[in-house]
Amino acid sequence: MSQQFDVVVIGGGPGGYIAAIRAAQLGKKVACIDEWQNAKGGPAPGGTCTNVGCIPSKALLQSSEHYEQAAHHFADHGITVSGLKMDVAKMVGRKDTVVKQNNDGILYLFKKNKVSFFHGRGSFVKADGGLYEIAVAGEKPETLVATHVIVATGSNARALPGAPFDEKLILSNDGALNIADVPKKLGVIGSGVIGLEMGSVWRRLGSEVTILEAMPTFLGAVDEQVAKEALKLFTKQGLKLQLGVKIGEIKTGKKGVTVAYTDAAGAEQKGEFDKLIISIGRVPNTIGLNTEAVGLALDERGAIVVDADCKTNLPNVWAVGDVVRGPMLAHKAEEEGVAVAERIAGQHGHVDFDTIPWVIYTSPEIAWVGKTEQALKAEGRAYKAGSFPFLANGRARALGDTNGFVKFIADAVTDEILGVHIIGPFASELISEAVVAMSFKASAEDIARICHAHPSLSEATKEAALAVDKRTLNF
Ligand code: FAD
Ligand code: NAI
């Protein structure tokens, strides 16, 4: 016998589980299907983000940062550490515990909000009389019938042709989060977000990390001034970044992985690594969804085609998160999930794509919202920019973390904030103020006139806003 629901969500990552909870809050009868399995074969909702993405990477970044602090920076505070050791198995075990706490938290939230959870793969069977039949292939096969379907099936790591992930030598994000011993030499292809975050983790623990990047410019989407500072600091930390390379043959052997590549000067090179992480972007995932059964339209990249409201080509079928256009970020997926649930309930859910923040959790962290200086130049828009270095911020000095700066860009005439770019301590937290300000269409002067606690890193934000008008007080 099939079970009937107002809303069936396929995929329990941040897009899907949040959509399910919001729809349930709005009084809908909701099911969420997710196929992710933990090591024991049990359910592990939370998707890429919880299992092999945001959460585990931040757990390892935190552990490795503690290690680096103890090894290199505690001495500045008069703290001597002797016999410092890294137990990688324990670090990875802690990361697994953090992941499990999040999986369990989502199962609890489903219960609390009366969302029916189904563990297994969901696929379209047919559309019939305005309803959709969805099969769940799991331990207990089920058939669900839905008035509305939200597809939130996420994305998978993109492989390089001829170098499939074996997760032992050639690693996707999954294997990169589960390395058992610190590799002596770690190769990374792609200097994007994953390459820099995972490269930082293993470098801090002692790996010699080489990152091979195809583009001639570093972090092209980031404000140029920030990207330049980041390149300088990461290189100083010991990351070997090679830009403008062309990857050739990748071979695995008993001793590790060999990567043939042409460097920026055109010379043939060979990199020998104990392990290789390939982080060259991700592809939308519709594997096993049986989109053909109902005629759900995909684009040439395999993403589900949606309009600005996340409506697909089919009535009452919606799609959110990494499986559709736009940035592949957990908070973007969540916002779309909430907006779709609200639209289903007859409300006017909205996502402001212009104020989605980005964060790279390296040290220093990099965070931004809105437009970069180079993008505004290309648009020909008149702007004013001002920045303030953490070196001149009292709290940053007390922390012993003075690298980087906050930069504001505002419209030359109206002073409306167009972009805020931060490289420095806790940039991930500081960026929220800029997101709020931009969401309320604030001017740089609005931020400059607001009282910020002293001593705090947020004073650098206020000072950068003052810098737009060339009147910093502490620099
Ligand atoms: P996913 O999280 O991929 O979830 C999709 C879920 O659907 C999965 O559980 C999958 O098993 C399930 N599924 C797929 N098909 C089916 C099916 N047919 N039936 C049932 N279930 C199915 N983003 C950030 O914002 N901040 C970060 O710090 C960050 N760090 C990251 C670090 C790494 C290493 C990686 C790889 C990604 C990171 N991301 C980060 C990106 C973030 O993880 C994704 O943007 C986010 O998970 C997308 O959410 P989603 O719900 O669209 O898809
Ligand atoms: P990415 O898009 O961030 O970076 C990929 C990099 O690989 C680019 O610099 C690209 O030029 C390079 N590249 C592509 N093909 C190449 C080739 N053949 N040879 C060499 N270099 C090549 O992708 P990444 O790092 O895989 O991450 C995927 C997505 O996951 C990110 O875009 C982001 O949306 C999400 N993510 C977000 C995080 C965060 O918010 N902190 C952390 C990690 C991932």
Side-chain angles (χ1 to χ4, degrees):
M1 253 258 300
S2 58
Q3 301 190 47
Q4 295 252 355
F5 291 92
D6 298 323
V7 181
V8 168
V9 183
I10 308 179
Y17 91 78
I18 289 290
I21 289 173
R22 185 71 188 119
Q25 283 177 346
L26 292 166
K28 299 292 171 190
K29 188 178 175 204
V30 184
C32 181
I33 311 168
D34 189 82
E35 65 178 342
W36 207 293
Q37 296 188 359
N38 61 26
K40 293 181 183 153
T48 301
C49 168
T50 301
N51 293 293
V52 292
C54 325
I55 301 299
S57 60
K58 267 80 252 179
L60 296 189
L61 279 156
Q62 190 60 53
S63 300
S64 59
E65 180 63 19
H66 282 324
Y67 181 77
E68 178 147 283
Q69 288 292 329
H72 302 293
H73 304 293
F74 277 9
D76 298 342
H77 298 260
I79 304 168
T80 310
V81 181
S82 58
L84 185 69
K85 274 196 203 133
M86 186 69 219
D87 182 340
V88 175
K90 189 153 186 190
M91 175 186 77
V92 172
R94 175 187 175 274
K95 177 264 299 177
D96 292 339
T97 305
V98 173
V99 167
K100 186 164 184 315
Q101 286 164 347
N102 283 272
N103 297 141
D104 292 348
I106 295 166
L107 289 171
Y108 160 78
L109 289 171
F110 281 159
K111 269 209 183 105
K112 181 183 160 201
N113 289 283
K114 299 193 175 49
V115 172
S116 302
F117 176 67
F118 294 88
H119 188 212
R121 174 168 286 183
S123 59
F124 284 103
V125 179
K126 62 179 179 191
D128 195 1
L131 298 174
Y132 293 91
E133 194 175 306
I134 312 285
V136 185
E139 216 171 284
K140 235 176 90 202
E142 304 266 0
T143 304
L144 313 183
V145 173
T147 309
H148 287 267
V149 180
I150 304 175
V151 182
T153 45
S155 64
N156 293 316
R158 184 153 81 85
L160 269 176
F165 299 117
D166 60 15
E167 305 299 1
K168 291 189 178 77
L169 293 174
I170 301 183
L171 315 175
S172 69
N173 54 297
D174 195 349
L177 292 158
N178 283 303
I179 299 177
D181 294 303
V182 179
K184 216 161 161 278
K185 289 186 166 195
L186 177 67
V188 179
I189 299 183
S191 70
V193 199
I194 295 180
L196 291 172
E197 290 188 356
M198 297 318 298
S200 294
V201 166
W202 297 104
R203 180 206 52 78
R204 290 170 190 166
L205 301 180
S207 289
E208 182 188 314
V209 179
T210 304
I211 305 187
L212 303 172
E213 166 60 46
M215 299 301 284
T217 42
F218 181 58
L219 288 177
V222 175
D223 187 82
E224 270 169 10
Q225 200 184 337
V226 172
K228 207 170 138 207
E229 180 76 0
L231 183 60
K232 190 183 85 190
L233 293 170
F234 296 156
T235 306
K236 201 168 147 205
Q237 289 168 2
L239 280 183
K240 294 184 168 39
L241 278 148
Q242 294 206 34
L243 306 177
V245 310
K246 190 167 185 304
I247 303 292
E249 196 180 16
I250 299 176
K251 274 200 223 158
T252 54
K254 275 195 192 127
K255 284 198 174 156
V257 194
T258 311
V259 180
Y261 64 95
T262 312
D263 69 18
E268 299 296 324
Q269 304 283 358
K270 202 165 256 183
E272 313 258 356
F273 307 112
D274 299 305
K275 291 191 188 288
L276 178 71
I277 297 172
I278 299 185
S279 46
I280 54 166
R282 296 179 63 81
V283 285
N285 168 40
T286 53
I287 298 168
L289 195 57
N290 201 20
T291 51
E292 312 79 35
V294 287
L296 183 61
L298 308 182
D299 68 14
E300 63 290 346
R301 290 186 318 125
I304 295 175
V305 178
V306 288
D307 66 9
D309 288 345
C310 293
K311 280 186 184 144
T312 69
N313 64 315
L314 301 174
N316 296 344
V317 178
W318 312 73
V320 300
D322 281 11
V323 76
V324 305
R325 47 74 198 120
M328 288 186 169
L329 295 173
H331 41 285
K332 175 264 192 184
E334 291 183 13
E335 293 304 311
E336 286 183 335
V338 167
V340 164
E342 292 180 349
R343 284 173 200 134
I344 287 173
Q347 298 186 355
H348 300 281
H350 174 69
V351 181
D352 182 358
F353 283 92
D354 293 334
T355 55
I356 293 176
W358 278 84
V359 179
I360 308 178
Y361 293 83
T362 42
S363 179
E365 292 183 345
I366 298 170
W368 72 98
V369 58
K371 303 219 168 164
T372 61
E373 219 177 317
Q374 66 266 27
L376 289 165
K377 272 187 194 142
E379 276 177 25
R381 182 153 180 190
Y383 64 88
K384 309 173 277 184
S387 52
F388 185 83
F390 284 106
L391 197 62
N393 174 272
R395 183 76 194 280
R397 285 195 203 120
L399 283 172
D401 205 348
T402 51
N403 282 320
F405 53 85
V406 181
K407 172 174 176 178
F408 265 62
I409 308 176
D411 186 275
V413 180
T414 66
D415 195 38
E416 180 182 343
I417 303 165
L418 303 176
V420 176
H421 304 270
I422 308 176
I423 177 167
F426 296 100
S428 55
E429 302 296 334
L430 293 174
I431 200 66
S432 290
E433 181 179 5
V435 176
V436 172
M438 285 184 65
S439 299
F440 285 96
K441 307 272 179 230
S443 63
E445 189 178 351
D446 287 330
I447 298 300
R449 287 190 178 277
I450 290 171
C451 179
H452 288 65
H454 176 77
S456 72
L457 297 170
S458 71
E459 287 173 292
T461 307
K462 177 188 170 100
E463 290 272 9
L466 282 165
V468 170
D469 199 29
K470 298 194 175 28
R471 52 187 180 99
T472 52
L473 296 164
N474 284 287
F475 185 62

